[in-house]
Amino acid sequence: MPEPITAIRGMNDILPDETPLWLHAETIFRKVFQGYGYQEIRFPVLERTELFKRSIGETTDIVTKEMYTFLDRNQESVTLRPEGTTPCVRACLEHGLLYNQIQHLWYRGPCFRYERPQKGRLRQFHQASAEVFGLAGPDIDADLIMLSATLLEKLGIKSHATLQIHSMGNIASREVYRKKLTEYFLAHKNKLDADSLHRLHKNPLRILDSKDPTLKSLIENAPKLLDHLDSDAIQHFEKLQEYLTHANIAFEINPHLVRGLDYYTKTVFEWVTDQLGAQGTVCGGGRYDHLVEQLGGKPTPAIGFSFGMERTILLMQQATQKNKITNELHAYVITDNEEAFIHGLKLTHYLRSKVSGLHIMLHSGGGTLKNQFKKADKSGAQYAVIIGEHELKTNSISLKSLREDIQQQTLYQDELAEYLKLKIQKKQ
Ligand code: ATP
Ligand code: MG
């Protein structure tokens, strides 16, 4: 036998016993987004490489070492999307969605980054995201953060995550700060690790984000971006805090929160948890007022966030003990012979059309009634619907509860439909 071919490292299969929880989470995302008036947008997973280079920043980790980039058959460089904001802006510009309009959008889907796989860090992972275009004030920042808080609440993990906020300032003030920070770190060059030395000239703000414990005090004592903000950014940040307080959303100011992409300005935020080891950021977001312009559009203020779905699901499993949500089967139809099976085919078709929301399976593959009963039990169904010799003769159906100790009943087709309808309604 040939060797089996395995999946690519860091690209997970999501198996049938996990998909109900995924579906549950995805449904919450969709409903909450819709409830806040956001519209769904979908775009491809593959884009021109240039798009990400121009937006995310040539010196970021993503662009320097994490992108899945390759030449297609036409020798054109293409990249699997490492994030969604940039392609979302590209799609909006291409279809004129930002022309004198405010847009509240959401999307979800896979992203790809060539990282070292570990718990909560994969090479193919999934994001659920929201973006708002055309609004510049701290009011929408507060409303968007409230949306992220509602999501955490509905997912049942709000009490396990903390909101951290920070301001990246405007581009000019950040440039001044960047110079100061470079000087500071240069003066302590001997204490920096290789990674930070590499970042020193290219992207010194990212050193603040370093997880290396030996750099902790050096980072603690570094000049603070918050002390270098211009008055516009300060006002924006203060107003945001005021709104969040009114909305009863607790937050911490994290002066080292800088995020991994170059395009952020003013507000940035993350929801972090201490329950997933080093991969503690469940949701990250921020304002990116220059990205639309950078990608060839008219200047358009914008803000958004992304939830990492894998981390969200892990946290739901750990924090809420909700490991399994089963996709419950109501009934499993077993038949005694060829004629009974044909009857079963017609019956299941009839029941599916009569009883909305019915989850019913018709046994295939033959076998004795005893064996079919075993399969019915294993399927998790509430009832076995039985068609045997006797039922065929009397044009009836037997219904046996597989979970409760109640007597088997014999019903006609329309009675069975009514019975199942009532049972399903009761459950909902
Ligand atoms: P981190 O600092 O954990 O690497 P990031 O800043 O690179 O995160 P973003 O680009 O902000 O992440 O992506 C938004 C969210 O997507 C993150 O908060 C995280 O939940 C999730 N995420 C990012 N990279 C991965 C990955 N490789 N595997 C799984 N989830 C990820
Ligand atoms: Mg990262």
Side-chain angles (χ1 to χ4, degrees):
M1 264 210 291
E3 277 282 302
I5 298 169
T6 58
I8 294 171
R9 202 162 111 83
M11 305 217 171
N12 275 6
D13 300 308
I14 302 170
L15 299 178
D17 67 338
E18 301 165 278
T19 47
L21 188 55
W22 275 78
L23 192 60
H24 171 68
E26 286 162 359
T27 305
I28 291 175
F29 274 100
R30 179 174 54 76
K31 285 191 174 162
V32 174
F33 284 141
Q34 286 174 341
Y36 268 69
Y38 285 59
Q39 290 181 295
E40 189 185 4
I41 182 166
R42 300 185 187 197
F43 36 83
V45 290
L46 200 63
E47 299 274 357
R48 293 177 207 279
T49 303
E50 196 47 37
L51 179 71
F52 299 110
K53 285 198 172 164
R54 213 202 281 181
S55 60
I56 296 173
E58 293 267 9
T59 61
T60 56
D61 283 356
I62 295 183
V63 172
T64 52
K65 54 185 186 198
E66 293 176 358
M67 292 209 302
Y68 274 90
T69 297
F70 51 91
L71 293 178
D72 70 7
R73 287 174 190 277
N74 205 18
Q75 301 305 304
E76 186 173 355
S77 181
V78 290
T79 295
L80 282 167
R81 67 180 187 208
E83 54 110 35
T85 304
T86 307
C88 180
V89 172
R90 197 267 313 133
C92 285
L93 283 174
E94 197 162 331
H95 301 283
L97 300 188
L98 304 183
Y99 193 74
N100 289 339
Q101 292 171 74
I102 292 168
Q103 293 286 355
H104 295 77
L105 303 174
W106 75 272
Y107 53 86
R108 67 176 174 80
C111 293
F112 305 83
R113 295 185 196 175
Y114 197 82
E115 304 202 65
R116 197 167 65 80
Q118 51 201 293
K119 182 178 166 189
R121 193 175 293 285
L122 296 151
R123 290 183 174 172
Q124 173 173 333
F125 61 101
H126 298 78
Q127 289 188 338
S129 315
E131 318 280 359
V132 179
F133 297 97
L135 293 169
D139 49 356
I140 186 63
D141 298 17
D143 192 47
L144 185 91
I145 291 176
M146 194 155 81
L147 164 58
S148 65
T150 305
L151 283 166
L152 288 162
E153 198 179 300
K154 300 276 182 210
L155 293 162
I157 50 177
K158 175 123 178 287
S159 59
H160 301 274
T162 308
L163 173 64
Q164 298 188 341
I165 61 170
H166 190 214
S167 175
M168 302 294 289
N170 287 309
I171 288 180
S173 58
R174 193 155 79 224
E175 207 34 54
V176 175
Y177 172 71
R178 185 188 157 109
K179 287 208 178 92
K180 269 212 173 155
L181 194 66
T182 312
E183 278 167 25
Y184 170 81
F185 282 126
L186 264 179
H188 298 89
K189 207 173 162 183
N190 55 340
K191 294 185 193 148
L192 294 179
D193 59 3
D195 214 20
S196 302
L197 275 173
H198 182 70
R199 286 168 170 166
L200 186 54
H201 291 287
K202 290 187 160 172
N203 206 345
L205 269 72
R206 284 294 281 170
I207 302 179
L208 298 176
D209 196 32
S210 169
K211 309 263 169 359
D212 186 342
T214 61
L215 293 179
K216 204 167 172 226
S217 76
L218 189 66
I219 290 171
E220 288 291 331
N221 295 318
K224 301 262 181 300
L225 179 53
L226 284 178
D227 297 331
H228 295 79
L229 295 185
D230 44 281
S231 62
D232 171 43
I234 291 175
Q235 263 180 25
H236 190 107
F237 195 45
E238 282 174 354
K239 208 65 191 162
L240 169 65
Q241 292 174 52
E242 189 187 317
Y243 290 146
L244 289 178
T245 308
H246 281 303
N248 212 9
I249 298 172
F251 60 87
E252 285 171 6
I253 296 175
N254 176 357
H256 302 134
L257 182 63
V258 291
R259 316 271 303 117
L261 302 90
D262 275 359
Y263 52 57
Y264 288 109
T265 48
K266 293 185 180 161
T267 308
V268 287
F269 65 96
E270 283 188 354
W271 286 95
V272 294
T273 177
D274 55 11
Q275 295 182 22
L276 300 178
Q279 275 57 250
T281 305
V282 180
C283 166
R287 181 163 277 288
Y288 50 94
D289 289 344
H290 302 286
L291 182 61
V292 175
E293 215 177 328
Q294 235 168 292
L295 292 176
K298 276 208 316 194
T300 307
I303 181 165
F305 66 67
S306 285
F307 273 75
M309 287 300 290
E310 282 75 7
R311 294 183 197 179
T312 301
I313 302 267
L314 274 174
L315 191 57
M316 285 168 81
Q317 287 172 328
Q318 285 187 13
T320 65
Q321 308 295 320
K322 222 184 234 174
N323 282 316
K324 294 252 174 330
I325 291 181
T326 45
N327 188 6
E328 204 172 78
L329 204 56
H330 301 117
Y332 190 98
V333 182
I334 63 182
T335 58
D336 203 11
N337 53 41
E338 175 75 8
E339 196 188 342
F341 177 77
I342 291 168
H343 198 73
L345 273 176
K346 292 182 196 157
L347 175 72
T348 45
H349 183 69
Y350 168 80
L351 291 173
R352 284 182 184 122
S353 68
K354 282 279 170 199
V355 187
S356 87
L358 176 67
H359 295 186
I360 188 168
M361 241 179 144
L362 172 64
H363 176 85
S364 290
T368 61
L369 273 185
K370 193 173 163 213
N371 266 331
Q372 293 188 43
F373 259 118
K374 274 193 195 152
K375 294 256 164 55
D377 190 41
K378 218 176 139 203
S379 75
Q382 293 294 313
Y383 298 98
V385 171
I386 309 143
I387 308 174
E389 289 285 352
H390 172 72
E391 286 82 3
L392 276 179
K393 252 185 232 147
T394 52
N395 200 22
S396 63
I397 302 126
S398 291
L399 183 74
K400 183 177 164 53
S401 172
L402 296 167
R403 312 292 151 200
E404 288 167 306
D405 194 14
I406 44 177
Q407 232 191 348
Q408 183 166 317
Q409 316 175 49
T410 303
L411 303 162
Y412 290 113
Q413 188 169 284
D414 49 349
E415 288 173 337
L416 177 63
E418 280 311 308
Y419 187 87
L420 290 172
K421 218 185 259 178
L422 279 176
K423 285 284 169 193
I424 289 173
Q425 268 168 9
K426 238 187 187 170
K427 286 222 148 186
Q428 279 167 348

